Amino acid sequence: MANGQWYPAEWPERIRALAEGALTPVAPRRAATVMLLRDTDTGPAVHMLRRRASMAFAGGAYAYPGGGVDPRDDDHQVRWAGPTRAWWANRLGVDETAAQAIVCAAVRETYEEAGVLLAGPTPDSVVGDTTGADWETDRAALVARDLSFAEFLDRRGLVLRSDLLGAWARWITPEFETRRYDTWFFVAVLPEGQRTRNASTEADRTVWITPGEAATGYDSGDLTMMPPTIATLRGLIPYDSAAEALSSAPARDLTPVLARARLEDGEIVLAWPGHEEFTKHIPLGGAPA
């Protein structure tokens, strides 16, 4: 049975065009996504959302809360707890202003799409329930980009808790895609007193699922995922608790993973370096195998 690897119908044509030099890659946008974890009787579970089938990009695929960086978060220094911006810049491989914006994107997107906020009134606290009407008004303003995340934190007198995040992986959308992202994957533990909800207009379902169960669903073809999603899920399987996964994050390799397409023996070979399970062989006149 085929697995649940997401593979859009237009890829072969675009891959051929790239291989022949007829396609100019678009520059990737910076983005962040968060694997939010909580402990269960069978080990840590991860919060996932299913993208609406009507979505142009990865419709029907399971993913994590995430999205693009807001350039406004480069400019305004937010109240910050945890590792310094310089530490994060070194960890993420960017400068300090970009590091702040990427971390802000991770925290903002988790709040926008799951209703969970990794921030508190003091450097050692986290807000409680965020489901009230006043919180929802601010969340909607963030989604509409009427309010920057830095302005949101200032308005509420909150400190961003960068220590509650761990950088896990970095994947760059293949060069033949029309929408490209340079995405940092983070891991975080659901704060006590907060709860997730489907706050995303892009998702029709959310689940808490153990990484092992999700991987089994992918392998059987029951759950559709993009390569970065299933790869990061498999990386979570060895851990016995959410805290253990978070504590292991600083040792993770953040070398960017970028798919490569090449012409070889009358076919196009699409491969993700270091992740052989995603390799596709595309006959020049046929469908991928």
Side-chain angles (χ1 to χ4, degrees):
M1 179 182 294
N3 63 25
Q5 182 175 345
W6 180 70
Y7 192 90
E10 66 272 15
W11 269 16
E13 181 178 348
R14 295 187 63 81
I15 291 170
R16 292 186 185 99
L18 179 67
E20 294 167 358
L23 178 68
T24 301
V26 300
R29 293 180 53 203
R30 296 173 301 167
T33 190
V34 178
M35 300 180 288
L36 190 62
L37 305 175
R38 73 178 185 189
D39 287 320
T40 72
D41 292 339
T42 57
V46 61
H47 178 71
M48 303 191 75
L49 53 85
R50 184 176 64 188
R51 293 174 60 82
R52 294 185 184 276
S54 59
M55 296 296 295
F57 181 78
Y62 281 79
Y64 315 114
V69 166
D70 185 344
R72 293 176 295 180
D73 291 331
D74 289 53
D75 303 326
H76 181 98
Q77 286 226 335
V78 304
R79 297 173 66 197
W80 189 274
T84 65
R85 292 170 180 81
W87 185 93
W88 277 107
N90 181 67
R91 178 74 180 119
L92 301 179
V94 297
D95 62 33
E96 290 188 33
T97 56
Q100 173 181 281
I102 292 164
V103 172
C104 279
V107 177
R108 187 195 72 246
E109 289 288 340
T110 305
Y111 180 51
E112 287 182 7
E113 298 195 345
V116 171
L117 183 57
L118 304 177
T122 64
D124 58 355
S125 65
V126 184
V127 297
D129 187 12
T130 63
T131 58
D134 60 331
W135 286 103
E136 180 57 25
T137 297
D138 279 351
R139 193 196 67 79
L142 286 169
V143 172
R145 297 297 181 260
D146 295 333
L147 182 69
S148 75
F149 193 62
E151 292 168 337
F152 165 74
L153 293 175
D154 281 349
R155 174 185 295 184
R156 289 191 168 268
L158 295 175
V159 181
L160 184 148
R161 292 288 305 276
S162 79
D163 55 317
L164 300 182
L165 285 169
W168 193 262
R170 181 181 178 184
W171 288 66
I172 302 176
T173 308
E175 292 180 331
F176 48 81
E177 263 290 4
T178 55
R179 300 177 183 178
R180 300 189 63 218
Y181 297 93
D182 184 353
T183 304
W184 284 263
F185 286 72
F186 294 85
V187 65
V189 179
L190 179 68
E192 186 175 353
Q194 293 194 40
R195 52 197 172 110
T196 57
R197 58 195 176 93
N198 183 8
S200 173
T201 58
E202 298 180 354
D204 61 11
R205 183 187 184 209
T206 61
V207 296
W208 282 100
I209 188 169
T210 67
E213 290 170 337
T216 297
Y218 169 88
D219 290 337
S220 67
D222 294 328
L223 300 183
T224 301
M225 299 179 202
M226 292 176 283
T229 307
I230 181 59
T232 49
L233 273 173
R234 294 200 199 282
L236 290 170
I237 290 175
Y239 298 99
D240 294 325
S241 71
E244 182 185 357
L246 177 60
S247 66
S248 74
R252 298 279 304 182
D253 181 11
L254 293 189
T255 301
V257 179
L258 173 63
R260 299 292 187 185
R262 67 183 188 274
L263 290 172
E264 184 177 292
D265 298 329
E267 65 180 7
I268 295 170
V269 179
L270 174 61
W272 280 258
H275 299 272
E276 287 72 21
E277 70 167 299
F278 306 127
T279 299
K280 291 285 187 182
H281 294 264
I282 307 162
L284 289 178

